[in-house]
Amino acid sequence: MEKRLTITVDGPAGSGKSTVSRILAERISYMYLDTGLLYRAIAYKAMQRGISIADDEALRELCDGINIPLEADGDMRVLVDGEDVSGPDFIGTRTEEIGMLASSISAVSAVRDALLPLQRSAGEHGGIVTEGRDMGTVVFPNADVKFFLDADVDERARRRYEQLVENGGNANLDEVKRGLETRDYRDTRRAVAPLKPADDSVIIDTTGIDIEEVVRMMMVIVKERAKGVGAG
Ligand code: DC
């Protein structure tokens, strides 16, 4: 592809955005940035250190300790005070409990302000697929291609449940669904950078569509944009 694009993928938990973003990045040899992991890293450390979500100063200090070293293979790593909290074997940041705390912490302005420049500098040269809740609206408002993925809450709960079981965790489908609904509510209603599609995003409802098909749909749009052919 001719131009190194900035591609954003936003959507609620369980919409499939992490899986498809990673595959898309791999296929086009772009860097992959999972911004949910940054909020999860802060949540994980805050829990370990007993830091309250009301303690803006301590949370900001945690953010200052975050580092995203760029990997040659395009894989993303997140270090907090030198500790790698992102490896495939590191499940501490991937639990539902930490997802829920990350959702609360992500509503704190001091945290969002501190993480903003970090995310922008990771994407400043393009050639990146970046996923989260506010990629197309706040972090990369001038992105070349913006996707918003969504899916029916029952399907999202089922996917999330399967993922948790696959990772060796204990999970209950009803609880997972209730957790997703709570997070959706919080992430869409918060005052700062709430989850919503950017006006110029391509919205894909992934309910009943398999991953390969979603990636294929995205690739068509990405290739058109890379050639400078507008796709809507
Ligand atoms: O995508 P995820 O489940 O790993 O994200 C965890 C939480 O982090 C999510 O509930 C809301 C928050 N988040 C955010 O506010 N903004 C982002 N760009 C990414 C995640």
Side-chain angles (χ1 to χ4, degrees), residues 35-36 39-40 103 106 112 132-135 183 187 190:
T35 60
Y39 293 95
R40 284 171 180 268
S103 170
S106 69
R112 299 208 82 86
R133 302 291 188 288
D134 60 339
M135 297 298 100
R183 272 217 278 161
D187 294 346
R190 67 178 176 228

Side-chain angles (χ1 to χ4, degrees), residues 154-169:
D154 285 307
E155 179 148 339
R156 292 195 284 118
R158 190 181 45 72
R159 288 176 187 164
R160 189 73 192 121
Y161 168 81
E162 283 167 6
Q163 207 175 41
L164 289 166
V165 172
E166 228 169 75
N167 288 343

Side-chain angles (χ1 to χ4, degrees), residues 19-32:
T19 311
V20 298
S21 299
R22 188 176 286 117
I23 297 174
L24 182 65
E26 248 172 50
R27 297 247 165 107
I28 56 182
S29 302
Y30 275 21
M31 209 176 87
Y32 164 63

Side-chain angles (χ1 to χ4, degrees), residues 55-203:
D55 190 344
D56 280 16
E57 200 44 50
L59 289 175
R60 190 186 282 278
E61 264 173 41
L62 280 183
C63 295
D64 289 344
I66 287 207
N67 183 17
I68 318 176
L70 297 184
E71 298 289 300
D73 60 6
D75 247 12
M76 179 200 174
R77 285 173 61 216
V78 176
L79 308 183
V80 190
D81 295 337
E83 182 187 353
D84 188 340
V85 297
S86 59
D89 299 329
F90 189 89
I91 55 157
T93 48
R94 300 186 196 279
T95 64
E96 285 304 87
E97 190 186 14
I98 290 299
M100 196 63 85
L101 184 58
S103 170
S104 298
I105 281 181
S106 69
V108 177
S109 301
V111 170
R112 299 208 82 86
D113 290 350
L115 294 181
L116 188 61
L118 203 66
Q119 297 170 74
R120 286 202 174 135
S121 69
E124 70 191 340
H125 301 300
I128 190 168
V129 178
T130 175
E131 58 126 323
R133 302 291 188 288
D134 60 339
M135 297 298 100
T137 49
V138 175
V139 181
F140 298 107
N142 300 319
D144 303 286
V145 192
K146 299 179 185 179
F147 293 106
F148 189 91
L149 264 50
D150 206 349
D152 172 271
V153 70
D154 285 307
E155 179 148 339
R156 292 195 284 118
R158 190 181 45 72
R159 288 176 187 164
R160 189 73 192 121
Y161 168 81
E162 283 167 6
Q163 207 175 41
L164 289 166
V165 172
E166 228 169 75
N167 288 343
N170 275 328
N172 169 296
L173 185 57
D174 284 337
E175 269 173 30
V176 170
K177 183 178 168 188
R178 276 198 299 278
L180 280 188
E181 286 170 334
T182 307
R183 272 217 278 161
D184 285 356
Y185 184 86
R186 213 183 270 151
D187 294 346
T188 51
R189 312 270 165 132
R190 67 178 176 228
V192 219
L195 169 66
K196 62 173 183 196
D199 291 340
D200 51 350
S201 61
V202 177
I203 299 176

